[in-house]
């Protein structure tokens, strides 16, 4: 147990440092003392507005979305038994994007965009499952290929929607597609989902460890393989849907973070899942801080930062694993 909790303690400290850094940096910088005074209710109105109304909700949302994507990536890699699997590989991001863009194209916003993205992700989940299910059920290879085809179809629909979008709505839609946390103001639902999945995933860690070795071995050891695979897929779909509805399409977090942690910590899912939640949240928190500050007061889409950081990092990890 000590071997499991020690790395998590270190990652928790990294997450706390990333949170403090995100609250301190921006177009107006704040010292740690000013942040502490705000949290105690002893600071002026400007600092309170910056921390409590602007930066803290966005920072918590960034942490939650990063953790959701990383945990979803770890689950997908166990399900498909492929270390290169990604939360978006089964078309979930494309479906969510189509739902959100349809709401934007109709001229509505707020909760309707969020609901459209969530409905699109769930529709993509049902579509991939339905098409991949054959006479003998579905296999990881069939599921993966079906997801790639469905994702390509969603990409074509997105291109068509952008082509017919009025010019005044096009910038907001493009920013959403690139991943944008500027309007993330409700961090508690994704944080609650992330905590719930981690609490449920740790007791299932032994079953996930066995499933990662193959379905035949898992079935021989008494694991209900089909039920567990359905649970993994639906859980990863819900995590990805919540992340996409909160921040748009953000890539590479769910691919790089689980892969990197497995190289560092091994393949014990009891450790990997909560570690992914902390490391993924910290990574996206730092990426969003960089997106807010690199050309302040202007802001970059956080998806651009994760892509710029994720591509060389993943290539390096892939080279080391060889």
């Amino acid at each position: 147990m000590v071997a499991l909790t020690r790395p998590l303690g270190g990652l928790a400290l990294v997450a706390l440092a990333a949170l403090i850094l995100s609250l301190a940096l921006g177009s107006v910088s704040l010292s740690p003392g000013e942040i502490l005074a705000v949290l105690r209710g002893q600071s002026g109105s400007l600092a309170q507005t910056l921390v409590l109304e602007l930066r803290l909700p966005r920072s918590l949302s960034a942490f939650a979305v990063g953790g959701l994507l990383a945990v979803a990536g770890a689950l997908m890699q166990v399900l498909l038994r492929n270390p290169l699997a990604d939360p978006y590989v089964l078309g979930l991001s494309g479906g969510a994007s189509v739902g959100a863009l349809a709401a934007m194209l109709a001229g509505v916003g707020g909760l309707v965009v969020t609901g459209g993205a969530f409905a699109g992700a769930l529709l993509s989940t049902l579509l991939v499952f339905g098409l991949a299910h054959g006479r003998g059920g579905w296999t990881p290879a069939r599921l993966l290929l079906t997801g790639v085809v469905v994702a390509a179809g969603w990409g074509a629909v997105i291109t068509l929607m952008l082509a017919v979008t009025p010019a005044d709505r096009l910038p907001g839609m493009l920013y959403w597609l690139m991943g944008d946390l500027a309007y993330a103001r409700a961090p508690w639902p994704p944080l609650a989902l992330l905590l719930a999945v981690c609490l449920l995933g740790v007791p299932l860690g032994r079953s996930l460890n066995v499933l990662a070795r193959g379905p035949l071995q898992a079935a021989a050891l008494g694991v209900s393989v089909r039920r567990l695979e359905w649970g993994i897929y639906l859980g990863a779909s819900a995590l990805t849907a919540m992340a996409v509805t909160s921040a748009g399409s953000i890539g590479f977090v769910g691919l790089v973070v689980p892969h990197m942690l497995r190289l560092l910590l091994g393949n014990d899912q009891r450790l990997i899942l909560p570690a992914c939640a902390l490391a993924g949240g910290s990574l996206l928190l730092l990426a969003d801080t960089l997106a807010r500050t690199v050309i302040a007061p202007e802001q970059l889409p956080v998806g651009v930062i994760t892509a710029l950081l994720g591509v060389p990092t993943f290539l390096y990890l892939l080279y080391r694993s060889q």
Side-chain angles (χ1 to χ4, degrees):
M1 184 61 67
V2 175
L4 294 178
T5 57
R6 187 175 299 170
L8 296 180
L11 289 172
L13 292 177
V14 172
L16 180 60
L19 179 61
I20 294 174
L21 190 66
S22 70
L23 296 179
L25 298 181
S27 56
V28 176
S29 299
L30 298 175
S31 67
E34 291 176 308
I35 296 173
L36 185 60
V38 169
L39 297 179
R40 290 178 175 175
Q42 301 173 350
S43 183
S45 59
L46 176 59
Q48 281 186 335
T49 301
L50 285 175
V51 174
L52 298 181
E53 298 182 17
L54 298 177
R55 295 182 185 175
L56 184 60
R58 177 167 177 166
S59 297
L60 292 178
S61 296
F63 180 84
V65 169
L68 291 173
L69 291 175
V71 173
L75 292 174
M76 294 303 299
Q77 290 168 13
V78 171
L79 175 67
L80 300 177
R81 289 175 283 283
N82 187 341
L84 303 182
D86 182 79
Y88 299 122
V89 74
L90 298 183
L92 303 177
S93 174
S97 298
V98 168
L101 293 181
M104 295 179 188
L105 189 59
V108 296
L111 293 178
V112 180
V113 174
T114 300
F118 197 82
L122 293 182
L123 174 62
S124 185
T125 299
L126 298 176
L127 187 61
V128 171
F129 247 121
L131 294 175
H133 196 280
R135 292 183 178 178
W138 55 267
T139 63
R142 183 185 296 167
L143 193 65
L144 182 61
L145 291 175
T146 305
V148 170
V149 173
V150 170
W154 288 131
V157 175
I158 290 171
T159 302
L160 176 63
M161 296 176 70
L162 293 176
V164 301
T165 298
D168 59 330
R169 298 177 188 170
L170 193 58
M173 296 172 70
L174 289 175
Y175 255 73
W176 193 93
L177 283 175
M178 289 184 287
D180 187 18
L181 284 159
Y183 300 102
R185 293 292 182 266
W188 305 118
L191 280 173
L193 180 61
L194 179 62
L195 179 61
V197 170
C198 288
L199 292 177
L200 291 174
V202 172
L204 293 175
R206 294 184 183 274
S207 298
L208 295 174
N209 290 337
V210 177
L211 182 62
R213 300 176 179 271
L216 296 179
Q217 184 174 351
L221 294 175
V223 176
S224 180
V225 175
R226 187 59 63 191
R227 182 182 300 176
L228 182 59
E229 287 179 337
W230 273 86
I232 292 174
Y233 184 66
L234 293 177
S237 300
L239 294 177
T240 306
M242 178 63 77
V244 172
T245 58
S246 300
S249 183
I250 299 174
F252 288 98
V253 176
L255 179 64
V256 172
V257 172
H259 194 73
M260 178 177 63
L261 290 176
R262 283 195 178 94
L263 292 177
L264 296 174
L265 304 177
N267 203 27
D268 189 345
Q269 304 305 316
R270 296 173 298 172
L271 175 60
I272 289 297
L273 292 181
C276 281
L278 292 171
S282 300
L283 175 62
L284 193 60
L285 193 53
L286 293 173
D288 183 59
T289 303
L290 186 61
R292 290 190 293 105
T293 57
V294 65
I295 55 171
E298 300 296 327
Q299 299 184 18
L300 291 173
V302 69
V304 174
I305 303 298
T306 58
L308 291 174
L309 296 176
V311 170
T313 302
F314 181 72
L315 291 176
Y316 173 72
L317 293 175
L318 188 63
Y319 174 77
R320 280 197 59 187
S321 65
Q322 293 176 349

